[in-house]
Amino acid sequence: MSDTKIEFLYLNEEDMIKSGVLDAGRCVDVMEDVVTLLSEGDYRMGGKENNSHGLYVTFPDESNIKDFPLNDSRDRRFVSMPAYLGGKYHLCGEKWYGSNGRNAAKGLPRSILMVTLNDLETGQPIAYMSANLLSAMRTGAMPGVVAKHLARKDSKVIALIGAGVVNKTSIMAYLSKFPGIEKVKIKGSTPTSRTAMELKAFIEEKYPDLKEVTVCKTLEEAVKDADIISEGVSTTVRKWPVYDPKWFKPGVVFISSGSMGLTDLTFARDHMTKVVDNIKMYEEYVDEFEEYDKQTGKRLSSGIPGMYFVNMIQDGEIDPKEVRHLGDIVRGIVPGRTSDDEMFLVSVGGMPILDVAWGKTCYDRAVELGYGTSLKLWDQPYFA
């Protein structure tokens, strides 16, 4: 008779920290594995084309049902993000989270996240883990991969646009691979942004060898001499920062993880090398989230470079081959940087395959070191 007992490992946030979830350099290396597998097609996500970011539960602005949840705060939603990742990971997993802008007043993160890892054959749970740090680190590590492969090796200046968690983990990733960085410039929501000052203090404490960390008053001041521009802004739709390409330094790598606009999209079309993590995901974004002006029928700005690139392809302005895939660059099957003056506009979005890989890496370390709590699902299933 086969052993039907099932147990899985529960990892709280403290367990995750002890298991290396904050190891930015290693996380960048793992994300390189992921984009390689993505390029090879050794993965699956949700949706009809197996490339969906996730499935959203959102709420209406009003309802006649008593106590029905409403869209009455920023980013109020629930999201399920399932995925399979192959290679040495070879398992399924899911990130699940609830988000509500009112959480800040309660001393909680806007989103509270958990990741489940499942055996590929039986579907049984292997691990259930706290995922706020996991998700934050994998988000910041993706810009780290971009910079490692596309930024000039003599880069000295990084501009952080947005002073939240995304750029906190992004700077950890950048500096794990670019020890020659000398200056970090921060642009928060206002010149006196509290989060910008907190990010400045965090960077100065963690990286005392940096020559200068400054908080900038204007967007132009922040980006005008940056070698790497790291955009990680979460804001109201079409209230995101808008950049004048005249501010960009030759050779710059502009990495967008949030929302942004350009005063001149034709500049990006004609003068910037366009790179994405997963073009198929942005095609699904366009299908699901593209918005149009109700009066004119004109397409509204999405704020996501990957969607801009899809629009350019759909409108016949560029050839699909003009959009390079990050994994193809990592694998060496398409070129990365070809000159010192080449400018890049790069779109990286959240994919659950990233969570599966970093979750599995931390899980393996937890098992090795003996962290976590074993929880029983059953000794024998009641119905089998």
XYZ file of all heavy atoms in Angstrom, residues 156-160 163 167 171 175 181-187 195-216 221:
311
model
N 28.225 54.852 -14.178
C 28.545 55.487 -12.892
C 27.321 56.037 -12.166
O 27.348 56.188 -10.947
C 29.527 56.641 -13.118
C 30.849 56.253 -13.777
C 31.676 55.346 -12.890
C 33.025 55.027 -13.535
N 33.793 54.021 -12.758
N 26.252 56.366 -12.929
C 25.120 57.087 -12.341
C 23.825 56.317 -12.591
O 23.509 55.939 -13.729
C 24.992 58.502 -12.928
C 23.824 59.248 -12.284
C 26.291 59.282 -12.734
N 23.064 56.101 -11.519
C 21.751 55.465 -11.596
C 20.698 56.461 -11.125
O 20.860 57.103 -10.080
C 21.680 54.198 -10.733
C 22.609 53.112 -11.279
C 20.252 53.675 -10.639
C 22.643 51.857 -10.433
N 19.621 56.580 -11.880
C 18.472 57.388 -11.474
C 17.335 56.463 -11.083
O 16.950 55.585 -11.861
C 18.032 58.300 -12.607
N 16.804 56.640 -9.879
C 15.674 55.869 -9.390
C 14.436 56.751 -9.443
O 14.329 57.711 -8.684
C 15.916 55.381 -7.962
C 17.181 54.554 -7.714
C 17.286 54.193 -6.236
C 17.200 53.306 -8.582
N 10.203 55.972 -5.385
C 11.003 55.681 -4.194
C 10.408 54.567 -3.338
O 10.665 54.496 -2.144
C 11.154 56.955 -3.362
N 12.089 50.116 -6.419
C 13.420 50.669 -6.623
C 14.357 50.387 -5.445
O 15.585 50.419 -5.617
C 13.354 52.158 -6.925
C 13.319 52.421 -8.420
O 13.847 51.646 -9.215
N 12.705 53.524 -8.818
N 17.814 48.730 -6.670
C 19.160 49.252 -6.404
C 20.018 48.161 -5.764
O 21.235 48.075 -6.026
C 19.123 50.533 -5.532
C 20.473 51.250 -5.563
C 18.713 50.245 -4.101
C 20.872 51.777 -6.904
N 23.493 47.176 -7.711
C 24.788 47.303 -7.036
C 25.427 45.952 -6.759
O 26.634 45.885 -6.524
C 24.620 48.122 -5.753
C 24.223 49.592 -5.992
C 24.040 50.324 -4.673
C 25.239 50.319 -6.859
N 29.392 51.757 -9.590
C 28.447 52.875 -9.506
C 28.907 53.855 -8.428
O 29.277 53.462 -7.326
C 27.026 52.368 -9.197
C 26.487 51.554 -10.371
C 26.086 53.524 -8.866
C 26.295 52.327 -11.657
N 28.865 55.134 -8.763
C 29.328 56.173 -7.831
C 28.189 57.047 -7.305
O 28.272 57.548 -6.178
C 30.358 57.070 -8.524
C 31.630 56.321 -8.948
C 32.615 57.216 -9.670
O 32.245 58.384 -9.991
O 33.753 56.772 -9.923
N 27.131 57.221 -8.108
C 26.109 58.199 -7.744
C 24.720 57.618 -7.987
O 24.469 57.003 -9.024
C 26.292 59.474 -8.576
C 25.329 60.610 -8.247
C 25.676 61.848 -9.077
C 24.778 63.023 -8.740
N 25.135 64.226 -9.546
N 23.830 57.821 -7.017
C 22.436 57.417 -7.145
C 21.565 58.652 -6.944
O 21.720 59.374 -5.952
C 22.059 56.331 -6.118
C 20.577 55.997 -6.217
C 22.904 55.080 -6.322
N 20.673 58.888 -7.899
C 19.746 60.024 -7.819
C 18.319 59.495 -7.697
O 17.939 58.559 -8.399
C 19.885 60.906 -9.054
C 21.292 61.464 -9.206
C 21.350 62.606 -10.211
C 21.085 62.154 -11.619
N 21.177 63.290 -12.575
N 17.563 60.083 -6.793
C 16.220 59.605 -6.470
C 15.204 60.684 -6.789
O 15.391 61.855 -6.443
C 16.116 59.250 -4.970
C 17.169 58.193 -4.594
C 14.723 58.763 -4.621
C 17.358 58.050 -3.086
N 14.125 60.309 -7.466
C 13.007 61.230 -7.680
C 11.756 60.611 -7.090
O 11.264 59.588 -7.553
C 12.795 61.486 -9.179
C 11.581 62.362 -9.497
C 11.742 63.773 -8.922
C 10.560 64.662 -9.275
N 9.330 64.283 -8.531
N 9.148 59.064 1.472
C 9.687 57.785 1.013
C 11.021 57.970 0.281
O 11.900 57.108 0.364
C 8.689 57.055 0.090
O 8.313 57.923 -0.992
C 7.453 56.648 0.865
N 11.172 59.103 -0.414
C 12.446 59.369 -1.083
C 13.567 59.544 -0.062
O 14.681 59.030 -0.241
C 12.333 60.602 -1.975
N 13.286 60.252 1.014
C 14.291 60.448 2.049
C 14.607 59.125 2.758
O 15.762 58.861 3.115
C 13.813 61.488 3.054
C 13.626 62.892 2.465
S 15.116 63.512 1.610
C 16.289 63.556 2.958
N 13.585 58.289 2.936
C 13.811 56.979 3.549
C 14.651 56.090 2.642
O 15.530 55.355 3.111
C 12.467 56.317 3.861
C 11.708 56.980 5.002
C 10.328 56.391 5.210
O 9.883 55.587 4.350
O 9.672 56.719 6.221
N 14.403 56.160 1.327
C 15.215 55.380 0.393
C 16.652 55.878 0.383
O 17.601 55.072 0.350
C 14.612 55.463 -1.014
C 15.345 54.688 -2.117
C 15.470 53.211 -1.771
C 14.631 54.866 -3.454
N 16.840 57.171 0.441
C 18.186 57.747 0.503
C 18.935 57.222 1.730
O 20.094 56.791 1.641
C 18.098 59.271 0.553
C 19.444 59.993 0.644
C 19.222 61.517 0.615
C 20.546 62.277 0.568
N 21.312 62.186 1.817
N 18.262 57.226 2.885
C 18.896 56.747 4.119
C 19.220 55.260 4.030
O 20.286 54.809 4.483
C 17.980 57.024 5.311
N 18.315 54.483 3.429
C 18.545 53.047 3.257
C 19.786 52.796 2.401
O 20.643 51.971 2.753
C 17.317 52.417 2.599
C 17.525 51.000 2.130
C 17.422 49.941 3.017
C 17.816 50.728 0.792
C 17.609 48.624 2.587
C 18.010 49.428 0.356
C 17.909 48.377 1.249
N 19.905 53.507 1.288
C 21.034 53.311 0.374
C 22.342 53.738 1.037
O 23.363 53.049 0.947
C 20.804 54.079 -0.942
C 19.592 53.508 -1.689
C 22.047 54.031 -1.828
C 19.152 54.337 -2.876
N 22.321 54.872 1.715
C 23.548 55.365 2.361
C 24.021 54.410 3.452
O 25.230 54.209 3.633
C 23.300 56.756 2.928
C 23.180 57.822 1.846
C 22.822 59.186 2.403
O 22.176 59.239 3.483
O 23.165 60.204 1.774
N 23.083 53.814 4.168
C 23.465 52.888 5.237
C 23.977 51.569 4.672
O 24.979 51.023 5.147
C 22.270 52.618 6.154
C 22.579 51.647 7.283
C 21.392 51.387 8.198
O 20.344 52.044 8.019
O 21.508 50.520 9.078
N 23.312 51.060 3.641
C 23.659 49.745 3.096
C 24.880 49.810 2.174
O 25.636 48.837 2.080
C 22.456 49.173 2.340
C 22.626 47.719 1.921
C 21.332 47.142 1.389
C 21.481 45.687 0.956
N 21.795 44.800 2.091
N 25.096 50.971 1.518
C 26.189 51.095 0.552
C 27.017 52.348 0.859
O 26.982 53.342 0.122
C 25.626 51.150 -0.873
C 24.748 49.960 -1.204
C 23.355 50.066 -1.151
C 25.304 48.736 -1.543
C 22.545 48.977 -1.432
C 24.510 47.638 -1.827
C 23.129 47.763 -1.766
O 22.336 46.681 -2.037
N 27.767 52.327 1.942
C 28.497 53.520 2.386
C 29.610 53.945 1.431
O 30.096 55.073 1.528
C 29.057 53.100 3.751
C 29.126 51.604 3.691
C 27.961 51.194 2.872
N 30.027 53.093 0.509
C 31.107 53.440 -0.410
C 30.643 54.302 -1.586
O 31.479 54.817 -2.339
C 31.778 52.170 -0.951
C 32.539 51.418 0.139
O 32.912 52.062 1.142
O 32.743 50.196 -0.009
N 29.339 54.451 -1.765
C 28.853 55.337 -2.819
C 29.306 56.767 -2.542
O 29.288 57.230 -1.399
C 27.322 55.293 -2.899
C 26.695 54.031 -3.497
C 25.186 54.044 -3.265
C 26.990 53.929 -4.994
N 29.680 57.460 -3.596
C 30.163 58.832 -3.416
C 29.031 59.818 -3.132
O 29.220 60.800 -2.403
C 30.940 59.268 -4.655
C 32.264 58.542 -4.850
C 33.016 59.089 -6.057
C 34.364 58.383 -6.223
N 35.113 58.903 -7.404
N 27.845 59.555 -3.719
C 26.776 60.546 -3.583
C 25.412 59.880 -3.758
O 25.213 59.086 -4.680
C 26.948 61.646 -4.635
C 25.978 62.803 -4.511
C 26.245 63.886 -5.547
O 27.275 63.808 -6.258
O 25.411 64.812 -5.655
N 24.480 60.210 -2.871
C 23.080 59.821 -2.996
C 22.249 61.077 -2.810
O 22.327 61.729 -1.757
C 22.675 58.757 -1.954
C 21.220 58.330 -2.174
C 23.594 57.546 -2.018
N 21.495 61.467 -3.821
C 20.761 62.724 -3.765
C 19.288 62.514 -4.082
O 18.923 61.602 -4.832
C 21.331 63.750 -4.766
O 21.227 63.215 -6.090
C 22.780 64.055 -4.464
N 18.448 63.362 -3.507
C 17.026 63.412 -3.851
C 16.820 64.614 -4.762
O 17.183 65.746 -4.401
C 16.149 63.532 -2.587
C 14.683 63.701 -2.977
C 16.323 62.299 -1.705
N 16.271 64.398 -5.938
C 16.143 65.430 -6.957
C 14.768 66.090 -6.905
O 13.766 65.455 -6.561
C 16.382 64.842 -8.341
S 18.019 64.135 -8.554
N 16.221 66.754 -13.740
C 17.430 66.710 -12.910
C 17.841 65.278 -12.613
O 19.031 64.942 -12.608
C 17.174 67.464 -11.604
C 18.340 67.462 -10.634
C 17.973 68.026 -9.264
O 16.843 68.520 -9.103
O 18.819 67.935 -8.352
